[in-house]
């Protein structure tokens, strides 16, 4: 009989409803199966040795497992692994991008923010130098993207329009796709500005709404302590009224005590415009400890995984969003190639400060290991290669435990590179862990 191997990128998870869930990260595929079929698959889904599939397995289940590469012929197994690692290597090394900070100032003073707002607008001289950098990379890189961060980048939209239109034009002439993303508080994102941004390729947005108006306006105030909820909601509604193709992540930063209020926002009429609109997707985050805030005592080093709270089951909240017709990161899509990888772990991605300092991470600007170099007046990126290697060298290609992990394709071993040389451990995405994956499956 033919020998098979279980795909290392796949899982079979029993859920509380009596069935099981088949999940394959190699192809972003998911399928619910019966309890009986789940018991059959569980006989071999945990094996790392060759096995046979009994002839009494129903044809439909067998065909699904084979056609969707949940099981791989033993003779093809080594080749599959080799091709998967090559795919990951290409994705890591062929991705080029700059995350630009037009200013480090911000018009908000969010209660949990970790930034220090030290520097203002990028000077005209620095902007010209950065234009030369963009020209050089966009002309030669196999693919290239821009991101905009702050502070609040929309304090100076002229710089965003300048940089993105330049990159957009070059990539268009090369017949290559281009898109830019922006993390903004959304306060200045009027319909007129939104149209201008989309027309120069800024099609990916992250905007925070921290639950109901009451909760949001306690956490996300202007520098003069004024509320912001109504203005942001009006701008989001204007975005939704257009026919543009864009994606907007609505990030909800919540504590365990405010989870129900986050759902209350989306069950009401204030954001009814995002229901059934796949361009908007909700991402719930527990408020986490930054390197400067002392909202809760913690011995953890700063980083994206340094969370305050571990008690909130966000998957219950995501299921509630699903039931309301609201797209969300947990159940509206399956993690795909490097979708959980941090930009700091990619060799050819850099953060550019308003003073043209070059960093890898937007969380720990004061860390000396995060200061890689600078942009020269002629646009040359002057980079400390050893520091860059510190952030990018430990990954799925060099870490044996990462290269055999079922979450290697979305993560690439670089979910949070900072943790490797601050805590001495790698930071794995929460969804990788069996208990969390079980919570995810329980709500399907």
């Amino acid at each position: 009989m033919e020998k098979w191997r279980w795909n290392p990128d796949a899982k079979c998870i029993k859920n509380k409803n009596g069935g099981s869930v088949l999940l394959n990260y190699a192809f972003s595929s998911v399928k619910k199966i019966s309890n009986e079929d789940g018991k059959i698959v569980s006989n071999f889904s945990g094996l790392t040795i060759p096995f046979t599939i009994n002839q009494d397995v129903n044809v439909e289940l067998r065909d699904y497992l084979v056609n969707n590469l949940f099981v791989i012929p033993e003779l093809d197994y080594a080749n599959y692994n080799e091709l998967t690692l090559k795919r990951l290597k290409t994705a890591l090394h062929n991705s080029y991008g700059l995350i630009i900070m037009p200013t480090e100032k911000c018009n908000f003073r969010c209660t949990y923010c970790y930034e220090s707002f030290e520097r203002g607008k990028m000077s005209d001289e620095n902007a010209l130098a950065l234009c030369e950098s963009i020209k050089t990379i966009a002309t030669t890189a196999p693919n290239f993207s821009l991101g905009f961060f702050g502070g609040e980048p929309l304090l100076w939209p002229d710089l965003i329009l300048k940089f993105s239109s330049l990159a957009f034009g070059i990539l268009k002439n090369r017949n290559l796709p281009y898109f830019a993303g922006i993390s903004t508080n959304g306060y200045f994102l009027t319909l007129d500005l939104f149209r201008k941004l989309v027309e120069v390729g800024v099609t990916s947005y992250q905007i925070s709404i921290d639950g109901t108006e009451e909760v949001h306006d306690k956490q996300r105030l202007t520098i003069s302590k004024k509320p912001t909820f109504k203005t942001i909601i009006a701008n989001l509604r204007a975005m939704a009224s257009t026919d543009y193709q864009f994606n907007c992540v609505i990030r909800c930063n919540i504590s365990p005590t405010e989870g129900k209020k986050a759902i209350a926002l989306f069950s009401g009429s204030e954001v009814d415009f995002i229901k059934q609109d796949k361009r908007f997707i909700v991402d719930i985050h527990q408020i986490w400890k930054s390197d400067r805030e002392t909202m809760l005592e913690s011995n953890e080093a700063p980083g994206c995984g340094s969370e305050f709270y571990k008690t909130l089951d966000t998957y219950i909240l995501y299921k509630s969003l699903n039931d309301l017709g609201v797209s969300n990161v947990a159940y509206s899509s399956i993690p795909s190639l490097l979708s959980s990888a941090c930009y700091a772990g990619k060799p050819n991605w850099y953060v550019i400060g308003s003073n043209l300092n070059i960093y890898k991470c937007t969380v720990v600007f004061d860390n000396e290991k995060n200061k890689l170099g600078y942009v020269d007046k002629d646009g040359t990126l002057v980079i400390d290669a050893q520091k860059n290697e510190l952030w990018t060298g430990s990954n799925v290609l060099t870490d044996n435990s990462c290269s055999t992990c079922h979450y290697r394709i979305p993560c690439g071993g670089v979910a949070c590179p900072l943790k490797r040389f601050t805590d001495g451990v790698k930071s794995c995405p929460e969804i990788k862990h069996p208990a969390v994956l079980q919570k995810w499956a329980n709500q399907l």
Side-chain angles (χ1 to χ4, degrees), residues 55 317 402:
Q55 293 299 318
L317 301 181
C402 288

Side-chain angles (χ1 to χ4, degrees), residues 18-174:
S20 292
V21 179
L22 290 173
L23 175 63
N24 192 335
Y25 289 115
F27 305 100
S28 298
S29 59
V30 61
K31 181 180 177 64
K32 291 188 286 186
I33 58 176
S34 68
N35 183 45
E36 182 180 348
D37 284 347
K39 288 180 178 179
I40 292 171
V41 176
S42 295
N43 288 328
F44 47 79
S45 62
L47 298 178
T48 57
I49 57 174
F51 56 84
T52 58
I53 300 177
N54 294 336
Q55 293 299 318
D56 58 354
V57 173
N58 72 75
V59 174
E60 183 181 353
L61 176 61
R62 179 188 176 93
D63 287 349
Y64 181 82
L65 293 173
V66 172
N67 294 337
N68 291 277
L69 293 190
F70 281 86
V71 294
I72 301 169
E74 182 186 8
L75 295 177
D76 297 335
Y77 186 76
N79 185 56
Y80 171 84
N81 263 325
E82 183 180 352
L83 290 175
T84 298
L85 292 176
K86 284 183 178 179
R87 180 186 176 200
L88 283 161
K89 181 177 181 179
T90 299
L92 283 168
H93 289 272
N94 282 8
S95 180
Y96 287 71
L98 300 177
I99 297 174
I100 299 169
M101 303 175 71
T103 180
E104 295 173 32
K105 300 292 186 181
C106 186
N107 59 315
F108 277 27
R109 286 298 181 269
C110 302
T111 56
Y112 46 76
C113 187
Y114 56 84
E115 296 194 44
S116 58
F117 318 112
E118 290 182 4
R119 301 180 184 87
K121 181 186 180 183
M122 183 180 293
S123 68
D124 292 343
E125 181 182 9
N126 285 350
L128 287 174
L130 188 52
C131 281
E132 293 303 313
S133 305
I134 292 171
K135 287 178 187 176
T136 299
I137 302 171
T139 302
T140 57
N143 64 73
F144 181 56
S145 298
L146 290 178
F148 297 98
F149 192 74
E152 172 47 48
L154 290 183
L155 282 169
W156 299 106
D158 56 319
L159 289 174
I160 297 171
L161 295 171
K162 177 198 290 284
F163 296 139
S164 196
S165 61
L166 175 61
F168 184 54
I170 295 172
L171 272 294
K172 184 178 180 180
N173 288 336
R174 296 180 62 199

Side-chain angles (χ1 to χ4, degrees), residues 155-381:
L155 282 169
W156 299 106
D158 56 319
L159 289 174
I160 297 171
L161 295 171
K162 177 198 290 284
F163 296 139
S164 196
S165 61
L166 175 61
F168 184 54
I170 295 172
L171 272 294
K172 184 178 180 180
N173 288 336
R174 296 180 62 199
N175 294 315
L176 291 175
Y178 166 80
F179 73 91
I182 183 169
S183 294
T184 170
N185 58 42
Y187 195 80
F188 297 125
L189 191 57
T190 63
L191 180 58
D192 180 61
L193 178 55
F194 173 65
R195 292 185 189 278
K196 291 177 180 177
L197 290 168
V198 172
E199 287 167 3
V200 296
V202 184
T203 56
S204 181
Y205 298 79
Q206 178 176 281
I207 299 171
S208 291
I209 296 288
D210 290 356
T212 60
E213 182 175 0
E214 175 193 8
V215 176
H216 176 94
D217 283 340
K218 284 180 181 178
Q219 296 183 173
R220 300 185 65 79
L221 295 164
T222 68
I223 195 169
S224 57
K225 305 298 182 183
K226 292 181 179 179
T228 63
F229 180 87
K230 282 186 169 64
T231 300
I232 300 168
I233 292 295
N235 290 340
L236 288 170
R237 187 177 291 275
M239 291 171 66
S241 71
T242 71
D243 294 327
Y244 287 122
Q245 294 302 308
F246 65 89
N247 65 80
C248 179
V249 174
I250 297 179
R251 175 165 169 151
C252 288
N253 304 289
I254 62 173
S255 67
T257 58
E258 306 292 3
K260 291 182 179 178
K261 292 184 179 180
I263 299 303
L265 168 66
F266 296 102
S267 60
S269 60
E270 288 170 309
V271 293
D272 57 356
F273 56 89
I274 75 167
K275 293 178 182 177
Q276 311 304 330
D277 189 337
K278 301 302 182 184
R279 297 175 298 179
F280 294 91
I281 188 166
V282 175
D283 189 6
I284 298 173
H285 281 255
Q286 298 179 59
I287 295 172
W288 50 277
K289 185 175 179 66
S290 74
D291 52 323
R292 293 187 177 88
E293 291 297 307
T294 56
M295 292 170 64
L296 190 72
E297 289 300 319
S298 172
N299 293 321
E300 283 189 291
C304 296
S306 306
E307 295 186 354
F308 278 127
Y309 305 105
K310 298 293 184 182
T311 58
L312 181 64
D313 186 347
T314 55
Y315 295 102
I316 294 176
L317 301 181
Y318 283 130
K319 176 60 164 56
S320 298
L321 292 176
N322 234 30
D323 293 342
L324 292 168
V326 177
S327 296
N328 59 85
V329 297
Y331 296 114
S332 300
S333 61
I334 301 299
S336 56
L337 181 65
L338 296 187
S339 61
S340 296
C342 178
Y343 53 83
K346 299 176 181 179
N348 300 307
W349 274 80
Y350 304 101
V351 178
I352 311 296
S354 60
N355 62 351
L356 297 192
N357 281 349
I358 298 178
Y359 309 92
K360 287 298 283 186
C361 175
T362 58
V363 174
V364 286
F365 287 114
D366 292 339
N367 190 316
E368 285 300 318
K369 294 174 181 177
N370 191 31
K371 300 174 183 178
L372 266 64
Y374 60 92
V375 179
D376 209 347
K377 291 182 179 180
D378 64 358
T380 302
L381 303 187

